[in-house]
Structures are given as structure tokens and as C-alpha cells.
Amino acid sequence: MRILETHRALLTRLLPDDHPDALAVRQGQFQNVVIGSERVVCLPRTEAAAARLSERAAALRALAGVDLGVRTPEPLSEAGAHGRDEVPFLVLSRIPGAPLEADVLDDPRVADAVAAQYATLLAGLARAGADQKVRAVLPPAPEGRWWQFAADVRAELFVLMSDSGRRRAERQLAAVDGLPCLTEAVVHGDLGAENVLWEQTDGLPRLSGVVDWDEVTLGDPAEDLAAVGAGYGQDLLGRVLALGGWSKKGLATRIAAIRGTFALQQALSAYHDGDDEELAEGLADYR
């Protein structure tokens, strides 16, 4: 990938135990992540993402002090947009494992094991939401968040959509209109399949860690549950809900409504960051 060429000197310095040609690169929504044997280097895709590096590092340090039952990346070094390096970066410890292949869930025994570990993870995030040290660092979801989100989509993205795309977006925005502002739990914000890593133990997946905490907030657990459903389907989501004992009135409605806005959320974040590639992907079904 071209980033290994353009940032070769920096990566050689930050990952001295790895040969540059052996490094893997993963493109995230906000960061390009270069993966070494023991460390990863996060390179912001935009200036806006670079400006958030310090906040991201502070959030990860807060999470490192909480027992979530899984590993989270630990910040090792960083340089902001105005640091001593011309390229801003954040170096994190590497979490072992890989994303789960969806077809392994065809085995009911595997699906049960995965669902149980997701339920444990989400319970840990809920407990962390009551930790005062965590609450002092992580931003709460703002009051009127969904109203503002809908207003921003209409003002900034509708002009980029077709007529049918705007009608589709309006239906999805109507579904989140009036959702309550909850700040009871730590919410990862992008708990999709690609950010949850697994290892094999005795023939079954074992959740080894969670990465990409760029959008972590104090918010509604329905957001992370919606991401589980989007990543693995309704069957696994149902298993997680049953195991976690989530039976609060309105939860299923909130999950469905939030899940329907994922592409719009991606597009709006990309628009604000000036990331044309992510914007085009988020708006693909609205044009």
C-alpha cells in the first residue's frame, strides 16, 4: 500500500522490530492503521482526525484502568498535528487476534459462545459507565443529539442525494426523532465485526480485545447492540439480548432506529472531516 512508501522513515522509527515491507495496513473510517508485530501506528486520514488524537489517547488510558473483561489498546506514544513530527500519529499496543468470519456462526455451538462473550463485553461497558474516573474523561452524548443529527443531515447531505435518496433518509431520520438521550453506559460507537478481535481456544472463538475506540462516548447501549446486529445478523443479536437480560421497553425500537442511520452517520462524519472516500461510501445508497 502506498502509505508504506510515503511514511517509510517514520514507520521504521516507530516500529523498529518490523521490516517495513512486512507491515499490514488497515483503512479505518478516521485512521489508517499500520500493524506491526507488537505495536500499531494510527495515522489520521484528515486534519480533523489528527486534532482528535489527544482525546482518543486520553479515552484509551481511562479504559485501560477499567476491567472490561477484554483487552483494549494502550497508548505508547503520540505526536499531534503540531508536534515535533510533520506527520501526526498515535502508537498503540497491538491486540492479538482477528475479526470473526461470519460463516462460523452457522455452528450453533460457536454462535452461543460468541453471543455469551458479547453479552459479557456489553455488561462490562455498562458497569464502566458508572465509574467516575471514566465519566470524568469520556464525553457524554449531548442532549438533543438525534435532533441535531437529523438537522445536519438535511442541511449538509440532502443536496448530495437523489430525490429517492432524500425520501429514504427522511424515513430513517423520522425513526430516531425523539429518541431519549441516555448516558448510562460506555458506548464503543463502532462495535462492528471488524473491530472485535478473536482467537481460537479449544475449537471455539475467544474474544481477545476490541480496537478502534475513536467514537467512544457515554451513551445508549442500543448503539453497540445495533452494531452487533449489523455485523452479524438478527439471530446473533437475539442471542445476545437474551443472554444479557436486556428487556427494557423500547430497546428493540431504539436498536432498529439507530441501525438504520449507520450509513448516514458515516457520511456526515466524513463530510465534516473532508474525507471524500468515506463520504461516497456512506452515501452510495442515497444517490
Side-chain angles (χ1 to χ4, degrees):
M1 192 172 182
R2 188 169 180 271
I3 196 170
L4 297 179
E5 300 173 6
T6 57
H7 296 78
R8 192 179 186 89
L10 176 65
L11 294 171
T12 298
R13 178 167 65 82
L14 297 177
L15 302 172
D17 296 328
D18 298 285
H19 192 283
D21 294 334
L23 298 171
V25 180
R26 173 177 171 266
Q27 180 174 305
Q29 182 174 353
F30 302 108
Q31 320 281 339
N32 287 313
V33 181
V34 181
I35 303 172
S37 56
E38 300 293 334
R39 301 177 173 189
V40 300
V41 178
C42 302
L43 300 170
R45 288 165 53 88
T46 65
E47 291 183 6
R52 296 192 295 266
L53 280 182
S54 293
E55 293 178 7
R56 184 187 185 198
L60 288 171
R61 291 188 185 98
L63 291 172
V66 179
D67 182 14
L68 298 178
V70 297
R71 295 173 63 182
T72 58
E74 296 184 22
L76 301 176
S77 64
E78 63 186 282
H82 303 291
R84 58 187 176 84
D85 293 274
E86 61 179 7
V87 177
F89 64 81
L90 176 62
V91 180
L92 304 173
S93 61
R94 179 180 176 179
I95 304 298
L100 197 66
E101 297 292 338
D103 59 0
V104 304
L105 297 175
D106 294 339
D107 182 338
R109 193 171 67 102
V110 172
D112 284 341
V114 169
Q117 292 173 83
Y118 260 114
T120 299
L121 168 62
L122 289 160
L125 292 175
R127 287 194 305 272
D131 188 304
Q132 293 306 310
K133 291 182 180 179
V134 174
R135 297 190 70 85
V137 174
L138 299 187
E143 189 72 34
R145 170 195 173 182
W146 293 110
W147 177 89
Q148 187 61 57
F149 169 73
D152 289 347
V153 168
R154 293 185 181 104
E156 298 170 339
L157 299 184
F158 268 27
V159 68
L160 304 175
M161 299 179 185
S162 66
D163 289 342
S164 62
R166 283 190 286 272
R167 288 192 294 270
R168 177 181 182 180
E170 280 289 8
R171 291 192 296 270
Q172 294 165 336
L173 295 175
V176 295
D177 186 35
L179 286 184
C181 180
L182 303 178
T183 60
E184 62 191 57
V186 172
V187 173
H188 179 276
D190 190 12
L191 202 62
E194 69 279 2
N195 291 328
V196 182
L197 306 182
W198 304 80
E199 295 180 306
Q200 290 293 318
T201 302
D202 297 327
L204 290 174
R206 180 181 65 83
L207 203 166
S208 59
V210 180
V211 298
D212 198 355
W213 294 81
D214 278 13
E215 299 182 85
V216 62
T217 61
L218 297 168
D220 185 350
E223 295 188 49
D224 283 342
L225 288 163
V228 173
Y232 295 110
Q234 196 64 30
D235 180 71
L236 185 73
L237 175 60
R239 292 172 188 254
V240 173
L241 289 171
L243 288 167
W246 286 288
S247 58
K248 293 182 180 178
K249 184 179 180 181
L251 178 60
T253 299
R254 299 201 315 274
I255 290 172
I258 292 169
R259 180 174 172 179
T261 67
F262 279 169
L264 292 175
Q265 289 186 50
Q266 174 183 337
L268 187 63
S269 293
Y271 180 86
H272 289 161
D273 276 10
D275 192 325
D276 292 339
E277 185 176 347
E278 288 288 322
L279 176 63
E281 182 178 298
L283 290 180
D285 291 333
Y286 298 88
R287 288 178 158 167

